[in-house]
Amino acid sequence: MSTFQDRVAVVTGGASGIGLAVCEELARRGARVVLADIDVAKAEAAAASIRAAGGHARAAAVDVTDAAQVEDLVARTYADDGALDYLFNNAGIALFGEVRDMTLEQWNRILAVNLHGVVHGVVAAYPRMIERGTGHIVNTASRAGLVPTPGATTYAATKHAVVGLSTSLRGEAAALGVKVSVVCPGIIDTPLKHSLTWLHLDKERMLADPLVRLTAPDVCARVIVQGVERNRPVIVVTATAKGSWSLYRMFPQFVAGWLGRVVMGQMRRRYATRPPAV
Ligand code: NAI
């Protein structure tokens, strides 16, 4: 029998991209999934299509930046489904561009969704999981949470924080019966590439670059679900992400310097939509 059979899983950002693919994969393996998203119409449609394929799914409205809404989502899951076995804190947004162009409002928005959204999930679910002596929290970070990412510094800041939160909490949680994993994908082909904010960058030119290789969400979801099943601490998805993380751990100074000089330089030359200031 599948590890996930009849288990209850809440996935924030479950209406689209990686979150949706994770919901589909979990449902195929017998889990009862809650697609929690700020876009509830999209979540309803996605849940209906999982049910049509024979899975067990429902949608829930949540804005992860609002702690009370996340608390309510978790409390309702316990009330309606009797348990919460897996919480995937996956909802996220992205912002590409240089820090010199960012407003404080943009900083606060990305921190609110990508970091505080995860914190709200942990605060709501962790004590309840401890009480039951079981549960698994799975936070979505990114390769940008493992390796410096000039040109997406705000995003990298939130994702490094999510990695630190997850790997540290894992050490506290294990003896209390709760598992914690963090997911670090490379570039995945999801609607995020259209919805993310590109500051002074030519999005079409960047996405058309043959070096930008996009991995399909269902491939990503299979790796994530397998990693969760094996209780991996850090689940890195895509060969490029694994390779760059390994290189960075072996040669941190060299890789950080190369990313700053070469990659950032190329980004400015190839994709900037205004003359570079430096
Ligand atoms: P996506 O844009 O396809 O899906 C994100 C979902 O989150 C959407 O359904 C959106 O409505 C929802 N969402 C956004 N703000 C929300 C909020 N405040 N409350 C509740 N839901 C909200 O994006 P994708 O690509 O599936 O991203 C999922 C996660 O994976 C994010 O945390 C992202 O940072 C991360 N990631 C994505 C990568 C990629 O290349 N697509 C690479 C590495 C990490």
Side-chain angles (χ1 to χ4, degrees):
M1 197 173 70
S2 155
T3 315
F4 298 98
Q5 188 66 45
D6 295 326
R7 298 287 177 215
V8 179
V10 170
V11 182
T12 68
S16 172
I18 296 171
L20 172 57
V22 165
C23 288
E24 290 169 339
E25 184 62 28
L26 290 170
R28 258 194 298 278
R29 292 168 180 242
R32 292 185 282 151
V33 291
V34 180
L35 290 76
D37 207 285
I38 199 166
D39 188 340
V40 73
K42 211 169 163 190
E44 298 277 12
S49 104
I50 291 176
R51 286 196 298 274
H56 194 300
R58 69 178 170 85
V62 74
D63 177 350
V64 298
T65 66
D66 183 338
Q69 287 190 34
V70 180
E71 163 63 25
D72 190 51
L73 168 72
V74 169
R76 272 167 189 267
T77 306
Y78 277 94
D80 296 348
D81 300 280
L84 173 55
D85 299 297
Y86 297 93
L87 173 63
F88 288 79
N89 289 309
N90 164 81
I93 58 171
L95 183 55
F96 277 17
E98 295 187 40
V99 166
R100 59 183 163 155
D101 297 318
M102 302 288 161
T103 63
L104 182 59
E105 202 184 6
Q106 284 166 326
W107 269 104
N108 286 338
R109 180 69 194 156
I110 198 163
L111 284 163
V113 180
N114 291 11
L115 178 56
H116 294 140
V118 174
V119 172
H120 295 156
V122 169
V123 167
Y126 185 48
R128 290 176 165 103
M129 288 181 171
I130 293 173
E131 208 175 298
R132 287 181 73 226
T134 180
H136 198 149
I137 296 172
V138 184
N139 299 324
T140 306
S142 165
R143 187 199 72 142
L146 300 170
V147 178
T149 313
T153 297
T154 51
Y155 183 73
T158 65
K159 296 302 188 179
H160 271 72
V162 171
V163 171
L165 185 163
S166 309
T167 53
S168 305
L169 181 60
R170 183 179 170 94
E172 290 184 27
L176 305 173
V178 181
K179 297 169 184 163
V180 182
S181 301
V182 64
V183 174
C184 297
I187 306 173
I188 313 299
D189 193 2
T190 74
L192 187 72
K193 64 178 184 277
H194 302 298
S195 64
L196 73 80
T197 305
W198 304 77
L199 288 175
H200 301 297
L201 291 168
D202 186 329
K203 171 170 110 177
E204 302 310 328
R205 232 186 309 155
M206 261 186 109
L207 290 174
D209 190 322
L211 290 175
V212 178
R213 296 245 170 82
L214 301 168
T215 297
D218 60 326
V219 173
C220 175
R222 273 198 296 278
V223 177
I224 293 172
V225 172
Q226 271 166 18
V228 171
E229 191 169 26
R230 291 172 192 162
N231 188 24
R232 296 273 190 253
V234 184
I235 303 165
V236 185
V237 188
T238 81
T240 314
K242 282 181 192 158
S244 53
W245 187 38
S246 297
L247 274 177
Y248 181 58
R249 278 180 297 163
M250 283 188 281
F251 312 107
Q253 228 169 298
F254 172 78
V255 172
W258 180 80
L259 286 165
R261 279 190 317 277
V262 180
V263 178
M264 194 64 222
Q266 279 183 358
M267 195 167 162
R268 284 180 176 137
R269 275 194 305 279
R270 287 190 192 164
Y271 312 124
T273 53
R274 59 157 187 216
V278 289

